[in-house]
Amino acid sequence: HDFNREFINLSESAINDSDGNNNGRADFGETFYLKLKISNLGLISASNLTATISSTSPWVTINQSSASIGTLAGKTEKILNDDLQLTIDDNIPDLGIVTLDLTLKDNKIEKKYKIDITVHAPELEILNCLVDDSEYGNNNYIAEPGENFNLVFQVKNLGSSSTSGQLLIESQ
């Protein structure tokens, strides 16, 4: 390589979800920033440098798609920490992959990168259900006519993201 010019490179990418649950992962329904470390490995400054992201994935909405870096001197790097903002959809498959297309462009060159982000979601499974008539019935753990009872569910989360909420039972 001829380093007696600008030589733009993506050195690192990460998730900045400090406004979310701050675990460094892209969780369902979470809004976060794409953190990028952009280097100029050459000896000459890069001028009017921009970073732009896009995606064809249905699981992500890009809220802020571009950042102006300006001039990046030779042998320096710049970290974009909270310039490129994304939101992951609520209904994503656990451990699905969202591919982002990154374009780094200055006055002379344009470089393209693919960034794959693993998305995290809960995956709930009902293990069992117990009839509890100890409070309102005859305490025999059987649902009988005219008796009020509680249903006690044991639920396991097989996914890679935690969740909370209520279990809703609907009659069909």
Side-chain angles (χ1 to χ4, degrees):
H1 288 291
D2 174 16
F3 288 99
N4 198 18
R5 60 178 179 86
E6 85 272 24
F7 189 84
I8 303 303
N9 189 49
L10 173 64
S11 307
E12 195 177 299
S13 66
I15 303 297
N16 170 7
D17 64 338
S18 57
D19 292 344
N21 63 4
N22 204 22
N23 66 356
R25 302 189 322 182
D27 293 297
F28 72 107
E30 188 173 41
T31 296
F32 63 91
Y33 298 100
L34 182 65
K35 182 178 179 179
L36 301 176
K37 185 188 288 183
I38 299 163
S39 305
N40 182 353
L41 304 174
L43 300 174
I44 307 296
S45 294
S47 300
N48 294 325
L49 183 59
T50 59
T52 307
I53 55 171
S54 62
S55 181
T56 58
S57 171
W59 303 331
V60 66
T61 300
I62 298 176
N63 306 317
Q64 182 68 38
S65 63
S66 65
S68 176
I69 300 164
T71 299
L72 186 59
K75 298 289 186 189
T76 63
E77 60 187 22
K78 167 88 173 175
I79 294 176
L80 298 180
N81 195 45
D82 56 4
D83 296 282
L84 304 169
Q85 189 188 61
L86 306 94
T87 301
I88 299 297
D89 192 74
D90 281 329
N91 299 311
I92 56 167
D94 187 38
L95 303 178
I97 302 290
V98 168
T99 299
L100 300 175
D101 295 300
L102 169 68
T103 302
L104 297 177
K105 185 177 184 342
D106 72 0
N107 283 347
K108 298 177 184 171
I109 59 166
E110 180 175 292
K111 293 187 83 175
K112 295 188 176 290
Y113 299 89
K114 297 267 187 206
I115 301 172
D116 287 336
I117 296 175
T118 301
V119 293
H120 300 273
E123 193 174 307
L124 302 178
E125 180 180 288
I126 295 175
L127 300 177
N128 63 35
C129 177
L130 173 72
V131 172
D132 179 2
D133 63 345
S134 60
E135 191 175 347
Y136 306 110
N138 61 2
N139 201 18
N140 67 353
Y141 298 97
I142 298 171
E144 295 164 321
E147 187 175 51
N148 290 327
F149 54 86
N150 292 317
L151 292 176
V152 180
F153 288 89
Q154 184 178 9
V155 180
K156 184 175 186 178
N157 183 357
L158 304 171
S160 62
S161 186
S162 60
T163 188
S164 64
Q166 296 179 329
L167 187 63
L168 181 64
I169 300 170
E170 295 178 339
S171 60
Q172 292 293 330

